[in-house]
Amino acid sequence: MNADAFETYESNVRRYCRSFPAVFTKALGATIWDESGKPHIDFIVGSGALNYGHNNPAIIAPAIEYMVGDNILLSLDMSTAAKRDFIEAFVESILVPRGLSYKIQFPGPTGTNANEAALALARKYTGRSSVMAFTNSYHGMSLGSLAVSGSASTRELGGVARHDVIRVPYDGYANQAFDSASYIDCVLSDPGSGIEKPAAIILEPIQAEGGMNTASAAWLTEIQRICRKHGIVFIVDDIQAGSGRTGDFFSFEFAKIEPDIVTLSKSLSGSGSPLSIVLIRPDLDVWKPGEHSGTFRGNNFAFVTAGAMCKMWSDLGFTAGVEETAVKLQAHLDRLVAKFPKSIEQKRGRGLMAGLKCSSSAAVSRVHDVAFENGLLIESSGPDRDVIKILPPITITDDELDHGIAVLDQALQEQDNV
């Protein structure tokens, strides 16, 4: 492997290439090949940015057709045919079948751009400055998103103080008996609590980077009720858990809630091309023209691939296949938990967004290394990096899934024998 260019010229900040010392050249579905020709099953898929697999033909074919014409690629927030097609597909295939009604804002192309816009809008709408955020949360790498993220190492980045954030326990944070929703309601209702009413509460239904912590339907429903009671904007960050990752398009569908604002990015384009949107309850859309901006909010290539992705959700065969794959993955993980009690403490996550809480970060590191040697890409999460994060494409074939799990099984067996 020739890595001279990376080691000589690329910044020390690089991370994934250190975990996976190979030069990759091509990918299809759930498989990615390095330049020696060795295949690897991909259980990372761009940290959830490739839910539909690498180079999904249903998504890439219309993009290729678009690219070979003299079509617009960057349009700021001007109206284009590609943007109109995406909006119509998103409304017809995603929002209407779920009984949801939102305005769509196109901020910059990344998830943190969407979260920054959501937080700014909530503050503008309410006239309040503070935001309530949760333990072990992660919302992005720009300053506003860093401020509401939970990890100490993450929050320390940027070198400036972060004010106006109220940190509260996530569902099950202290222990399963502690009702954090009731605590939040209590301190917001008590004028003597010292906690001011925030502009917004922002949360992830599944905390991917925080350790695959999963909120219950009852807790999410109660947080929404509290927001309604106190006049607080309820923001759901569905950047990693959304766009089909849990088996439903939105990760909060199972709880039958309707957040005031939803942020989407990562797999929204279906292709890995940057795209993010902010879904806004219509009466909250108090932006003035041009008040929030971003040069790359008009990525028309991504509009084309995102539109193709949305249409897949109108195919009952596709949605049934995703549900079946989620059931199969969960059954595989249940078997691993039962087989390796020495190494695995708990299964976490939901649907095709799964995690295995292990006995230590060292155990996860050993499993990671053995898995990579045998052709499987996995990563860790959680504040102590002791959770194996499992994110296969939601379109993964049975053979690819079985093979990936078999490699993981072997790696866990070697760890158990240490």
Side-chain angles (χ1 to χ4, degrees):
M1 180 186 75
N2 182 356
D4 291 349
F6 312 116
E7 294 172 2
T8 303
Y9 298 110
E10 192 175 359
S11 166
N12 291 332
V13 79
R14 66 193 188 278
R15 172 191 162 196
Y16 282 101
C17 60
R18 301 180 193 275
S19 298
F20 306 108
V23 177
F24 297 99
T25 57
K26 66 176 184 177
L28 184 65
T31 304
I32 181 170
W33 288 264
D34 64 28
E35 63 182 358
S36 74
K38 180 180 178 179
H40 303 260
I41 299 296
D42 190 356
F43 277 11
I44 297 177
V45 290
S47 195
L50 290 163
N51 286 354
Y52 302 87
H54 296 273
N55 294 305
N56 187 312
I59 293 172
I60 295 300
I64 293 173
E65 182 179 351
Y66 188 83
M67 289 291 287
V68 298
D70 295 325
N71 292 304
I72 294 170
L73 294 180
L74 177 65
S75 59
L76 302 176
D77 68 356
M78 291 185 287
S79 299
T80 66
K83 185 178 187 180
R84 179 180 59 205
D85 291 346
F86 164 68
I87 291 172
E88 290 175 350
F90 189 82
V91 171
E92 293 171 7
S93 297
I94 305 300
L95 295 184
V96 170
R98 291 161 180 80
L100 298 172
S101 177
Y102 288 116
K103 299 287 287 294
I104 303 172
Q105 178 183 354
F106 296 90
T110 70
T112 196
N113 294 142
N115 282 336
E116 294 281 3
L119 293 169
L121 181 59
R123 286 171 167 138
K124 176 180 172 63
Y125 178 81
T126 62
R128 300 190 290 270
S129 61
S130 66
V131 172
M132 188 169 278
F134 290 90
T135 50
N136 288 317
S137 58
Y138 175 75
H139 297 289
M141 296 298 292
S142 53
L143 289 184
S145 298
L146 284 170
V148 294
S149 296
S151 169
S153 61
T154 298
R155 285 184 290 108
E156 289 166 2
L157 293 171
V160 298
R162 287 145 185 78
H163 303 292
D164 293 330
V165 176
I166 305 162
R167 189 75 51 193
V168 290
Y170 191 73
D171 190 17
Y173 172 75
N175 54 65
Q176 292 300 318
F178 177 70
D179 186 351
S180 65
S182 292
Y183 166 78
I184 293 167
D185 194 12
C186 178
V187 298
L188 291 175
S189 300
D190 181 6
S193 68
I195 295 178
E196 64 185 71
K197 184 184 293 186
I201 291 179
I202 184 170
L203 62 81
E204 307 151 274
I206 300 178
Q207 295 182 322
E209 305 309 315
M212 305 303 283
N213 308 308
T214 307
S216 68
W219 187 81
L220 290 169
T221 301
E222 186 63 6
I223 295 296
Q224 177 170 272
R225 185 196 67 80
I226 291 166
C227 287
R228 301 285 189 269
K229 173 182 174 182
H230 295 281
I232 297 166
V233 177
F234 181 28
I235 303 173
V236 165
D237 174 345
D238 224 13
I239 288 164
Q240 188 162 164
S243 298
R245 174 47 57 189
T246 62
D248 295 320
F249 186 83
F250 295 106
S251 69
F252 56 81
E253 288 183 47
F254 81 113
K256 296 180 171 57
I257 59 174
E258 188 171 342
D260 299 317
I261 297 177
V262 181
T263 56
L264 291 170
S265 187
K266 284 195 178 281
S267 280
L268 178 63
S269 76
S271 62
S273 187
L275 177 66
S276 72
I277 59 176
V278 183
L279 302 179
I280 305 167
R281 199 180 75 202
D283 61 294
L284 266 66
D285 185 23
V286 294
W287 289 122
K288 296 177 183 177
E291 191 172 14
H292 195 277
S293 189
T295 301
F296 296 102
R297 64 196 186 280
N299 182 352
N300 283 251
F301 176 85
F303 293 154
V304 173
T305 58
M309 177 276 294
C310 290
K311 291 173 184 176
M312 295 170 71
W313 286 88
S314 296
D315 180 347
L316 295 180
F318 169 77
T319 56
V322 172
E323 292 174 5
E324 290 170 6
T325 303
V327 170
K328 289 173 185 174
L329 174 63
Q330 291 296 320
H332 277 306
L333 299 183
D334 287 336
R335 179 181 59 79
L336 293 178
V337 171
K339 184 176 180 180
F340 300 107
K342 176 182 173 182
S343 296
I344 304 173
E345 296 179 355
Q346 183 186 41
K347 181 184 75 170
R348 292 181 178 177
R350 182 158 44 84
L352 287 150
M353 187 171 191
L356 296 173
K357 168 69 170 66
C358 293
S359 55
S360 67
S361 60
V364 171
S365 181
R366 282 190 289 269
V367 170
H368 168 281
D369 291 347
V370 173
F372 175 65
E373 290 172 8
N374 292 309
L376 175 67
L377 306 185
I378 54 173
E379 65 173 324
S380 62
S381 74
D384 297 318
R385 315 308 294 180
D386 57 358
V387 178
I388 299 172
K389 192 176 175 187
I390 301 169
L391 301 178
I394 67 174
T395 54
I396 191 170
T397 66
D398 288 348
D399 287 346
E400 287 173 318
L401 181 61
D402 292 345
H403 179 57
I405 292 296
V407 175
L408 181 57
D409 186 314
Q410 180 183 355
L412 285 162
Q413 184 68 62
E414 293 195 25
Q415 157 58 27
D416 244 24
N417 292 335
V418 171

